Structures are given as C-alpha cells and as structure tokens.
C-alpha cells in the first residue's frame, strides 16, 4: 500500500500525514507538494516527498506511478479548482491509482446555498464519471473557521451573523484528518461519508464560548443579509469575499451545516473536539 496526500503542506494535509503515522509506516506515505521544500519536514519524518502542482497537469502522472490510494484534498484556488481536480483525476486514471479519497463539503448538492458546494458537486461528478474507485468525505465546517471571532469578541464584544437561529456542527481539523487517515487505511470504506461534529452550536452558544475563552463579554448581533453585506463592506472586505461570507450564513440559516450525523466520531473512534477546546487552544497560543 502506498498512500499519497495532495496539499500535504496545508493545514489539513499536514494533520493527515500525522494521523497516517498512527496507522502505517511513513515510508508508505507520499507527501505531494507544489513546493517540495515546504514539505521537507515530512521528508525528515520518513515520508516520500514529490513535486505535485495542479497547474502543471503534464507532470502529475509521474508523481503517482506506484500510488494505490490517493487523498485529493480539495484545492484552495476557488475559481480554478474544478480544472485542477480534473487534472489530478485524469493523472490518477492514467497511472492506475487504485482509489481516490476526496474531501468534499457536508451536504454538497445542486440545491445547496453553500458557495463552496458547486465546485465539490462538479468534482464528485468527475469522480463518478472517471470509473475509478473513490470515497467522498463530505467534511463539515472546521471549528478553526471561527478563530477570527476571538479577536472580534475582544475588540468589539460582538459576533455579527445573518445565519439567524441556524446551527453549525463544526469539528477540529485534526478530527477530519483522523477520519481521512482511517478511511485511507480501510480497504472497504463506504462510498460517501457526511462528516460533522457531535454538537451543533447556535451563534448564541458561539458568543458564550468566546466570552468564556477570552474573558470578554461577547454578544450576538443578528442582522439581515443586506445589513451583513454593509457591515462587511465597512470593514473593508472585497465584494467577492462579502458574497462568500453572506452565502455561508444563508446556508447555515437553512440548516445545511448543522447536521450531526455521528459519522465523524464513528470513524475516529472518539467524540469530536468541542468548539470550546479548539478556541481555548488557539487563545492559549
Ligand atoms: N471545511 C471547512 O471548513 C474548510 C475551510 C477552509 C477550506 N476548506 C477546504 O479544505 C481544503 C484543505 O483545507 P486547509 O485548511 O488544509 O487549506 P490550506 O491550508 O489552504 O491548504 C491548501 C493546500 O492546497 C495546496 N495547493 C494550492 N494550490 C495548489 C496547486 N496549484 N498545486 C498543488 N497544491 C496546491 C496548498 O499548497 P501550498 O502550501 O503550496 O500553498 C496547500 O497545501 C482547502 O483547500 C479548501 O478546499 C474547508
């Protein structure tokens, strides 16, 4: 078995390599990196480091020659990533990779309001059409997405949201990484996993947790989507980022990120990390 991980220099990819080390020897792991120097620390720990730039499709197959299981961590290049994922899937097919495991988004569907859903739906289609054996990990929200609220709580005492009474079943990145490692080292996985935290929190609960962790007195300010856009504009965000943030809150308001499926804790064999613990660990540095 040779397991390759794309995006191994990223936050999730690094944690996946850590989690794989608990299942297999790292000489069975290939850390794929656009800049191999950034993955040098993984090489020092025994992983094979290979150059892998999604934007150089002609070079991808060579890096996958002996790979049995490939984790395709979705690219962060929004707007280009479907083409990047297509190049990876084609290279995997050309070289005879046995199985692709892909990190998608919780509840990704054609009707989702989540702005990240369309790229994931399209990539899932590419995988289905490829004929390759594949597993979809539909990852819910990272709790780390809310680390910037620590500063907002301290500075403004407020969490601004247009998500209404929607909830978020977030989990720590390390939980999703452990799940990916478990699936990569399990030959008979399910075709699709909907992965999320064990607890779905409201924004009132987020504010309470921020207050407990920072000592500030943070409150939720519920706003309409248009008021949210205006607040973000005044904070200096570019229009595309504003639509992204408001789109995510619309998806949360509709319940798209609140499902507590239990599949993540089942895969990792322990409860998922509570939001409090992720925020407190970041606060303590
Ligand atoms: N579920 C959630 O809450 C959530 C939140 C944010 C993102 N995501 C998704 O989950 C993915 C992983 O999250 P993360 O936190 O690990 O993101 P990240 O830290 O931004 O890592 C992204 C990885 O993609 C690599 N990459 C970007 N362009 C590439 C290219 N042209 N060729 C090869 N590699 C390339 C980066 O390499 P470099 O080190 O060279 O830049 C990096 O290793 C993200 O990319 C995004 O699709 C999910």
């Amino acid at each position: 078995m040779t397991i390759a991980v794309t995006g191994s220099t990223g936050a999730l990819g690094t944690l996946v390599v850590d989690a794989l080390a608990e299942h297999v020897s790292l000489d069975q792991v290939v850390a794929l990196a656009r800049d191999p120097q950034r993955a040098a620390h993984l090489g020092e720990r025994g992983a094979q480091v290979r150059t892998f730039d999604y934007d150089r499709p002609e070079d991808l197959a060579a890096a996958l020659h002996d790979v049995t299981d490939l984790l395709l961590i979705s690219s962060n290049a929004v707007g280009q990533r479907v083409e990047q994922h297509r190049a990876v899937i084609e290279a995997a097919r050309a070289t005879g990779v046995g199985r692709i495991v892909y990190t998608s988004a919780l509840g990704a569907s054609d009707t989702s309001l989540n702005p990240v859903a369309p790229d994931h739906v399209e990539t899932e289609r590419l995988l289905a059409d490829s004929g390759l054996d594949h597993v979809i990990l539909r990852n819910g929200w990272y709790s780390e997405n809310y680390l910037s609220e620590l500063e907002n709580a301290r500075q403004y005492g407020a969490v601004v949201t247009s998500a209404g009474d929607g909830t978020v079943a977030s989990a720590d990145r390390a939980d999703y990484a452990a799940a990916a490692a478990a699936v990569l080292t399990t030959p008979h996985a399910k075709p699709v996993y909907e992965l999320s935290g064990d607890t779905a929190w409201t924004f009132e609960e987020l504010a309470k947790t921020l207050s407990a962790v920072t000592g500030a007195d943070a409150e939720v300010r519920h706003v309409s989507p248009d008021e949210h856009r205006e607040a973000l504009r005044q904070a200096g965000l570019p229009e595309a980022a504003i639509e992204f943030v408001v789109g995510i809150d619309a998806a949360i308001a509709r319940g798209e990120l609140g499902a507590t499926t239990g599949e993540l804790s089942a895969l990792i064999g322990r409860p998922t990390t509570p939001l409090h613990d992720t925020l407190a660990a970041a606060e303590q540095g």
Side-chain angles (χ1 to χ4, degrees), residues 6-14 32-35 38 52-55 73-77 81 84-85 103-105 120 139-143 145 173 176:
T6 75
S8 67
T9 53
L12 181 67
T14 302
L32 298 167
R34 131 169 87 175
D35 175 359
R38 285 175 40 79
F52 199 78
D53 184 340
Y54 304 143
D55 296 326
I73 291 183
S74 55
S75 169
N76 57 6
R81 60 184 174 177
Q84 293 177 329
H85 297 164
T103 61
S104 180
H120 290 300
N139 287 350
W141 242 212
Y142 303 157
S143 295
N145 293 347
R173 266 197 198 87
Y176 295 106

